[in-house]
Amino acid sequence: MIRRLSAWLALACLAVLLAACAEKPPYKQEAYVFGTLVQVSVYGAPEDRARPAVAAVLADFDRLHRLLHAWEPSDLQRINAAIAAGRASEPAPAEVIGLLRDAADWSARSDGLFNPAIGNLIELWGFHADTFAARLPDPAKVAELVQANPGMADLSYVDGRVASRNPAVRLDLGGYAKGYALERAAGILQAHGVRNALINIGGNILALGQHGSRPWKVGIQHPRQSGAIATLELRDGEAIGTSGDYQRYFEVAGKRYCHLIDPRTGWPATGAQAVTVLVRGAHAGTRSDVTSKPMFIAGPDAWRPMARRMGVDDVLFIDARGRASATRSMAARLEWLDQTAPLAVVE
């Protein structure tokens, strides 16, 4: 049976929880890009300033969609076509090359568990689509792609052209692009004089300033129930991101197969229901998107060392049985709502 959450529910995985108060509500706009619903909320700016600022953000999201889409026509798709044909690409935008180099650094830091080069595996599992068929791939084909061992280190860059010594490389920045877009959006809003905003791209959220007299407040989606499992206040410059098995998945014979593929096996990771990270500082948006993936794939026995390796202090990990653990600093930030699911604190 196929179960796929609609865009509005994907957004709700980290929905903005705005308490009723006398303060004027934020100016909001929504759009559908990156395969998910996005929302930009601006507080405290007059509409004649907020409207063009948000319009500029949404226009940039559309631009990034055309630049980085993994299977629809885009600059990234043209690079993939060149690699598959065994040749170097046409000159690629410097922005794309910069993102690929940065993604390669993150891949190395994660021991390859974050691996944007496994697009062929993602396609084989049927996740290069907006809807998924409840069908398992041929195990022999999965094993063949794992044996080919595509990785970001296979890429080379000469005169603005991208090539790969490994034709099995197929680039998919689905675990990176939303975080990068958050940072772009924050910069655009600030350039338009907006100081207080919340940017939500399918549950990856970045905060600027605050919501009037209080911080922005967000909720963390319960991975197996409707509504939030916890809330927290998001401070200026902080970003939060979740990797979960409840957003893009299908079921066969009662077993769930999610889009988070373990590059070591070629099969969806099964050790977690959700991983949420909270980050701050430079490149908070990108880090909120990238770092949750390798922790999810690492599983219950290895997520904590992986968090240290990725430089993330604040983590909430919910294992495959629904047991929740959080680092001490993250636990201190959470308002835990699900009293049926005790929260264990780990060092």
Side-chain angles (χ1 to χ4, degrees), residues 134-219:
R135 181 178 62 247
L136 298 180
D138 181 349
K141 292 183 179 178
V142 173
E144 181 181 347
L145 286 174
V146 171
Q147 183 64 31
N149 194 30
M152 297 300 288
D154 294 323
L155 298 178
S156 60
Y157 312 91
V158 179
D159 297 329
R161 300 173 186 269
V162 183
S164 173
R165 63 188 177 189
N166 185 346
V169 166
R170 183 172 180 179
L171 300 167
D172 184 329
L173 292 175
Y176 182 103
K178 290 190 297 182
Y180 175 69
L182 285 177
E183 294 174 23
R184 293 273 314 168
I188 291 169
L189 292 174
Q190 290 170 328
H192 280 77
V194 171
R195 296 292 174 261
N196 302 289
L198 200 70
I199 310 150
N200 186 337
I201 305 178
N204 285 81
I205 301 177
L206 188 148
L208 292 177
Q210 59 183 35
H211 183 273
S213 61
R214 59 183 174 78
W216 295 98
K217 193 171 188 180
V218 302

Side-chain angles (χ1 to χ4, degrees), residues 1 31 69 73 76 80 92 117 138 140-141 160 169 177 193 208 221 256 258 265 279 313 336 345:
M1 174 175 132
H69 204 288
L76 191 68
N80 282 333
D138 181 349
K141 292 183 179 178
V169 166
L208 292 177
Q221 175 67 32
R256 182 179 302 226
C258 74
T265 66
V279 297
D313 296 323
W336 196 248
V345 178

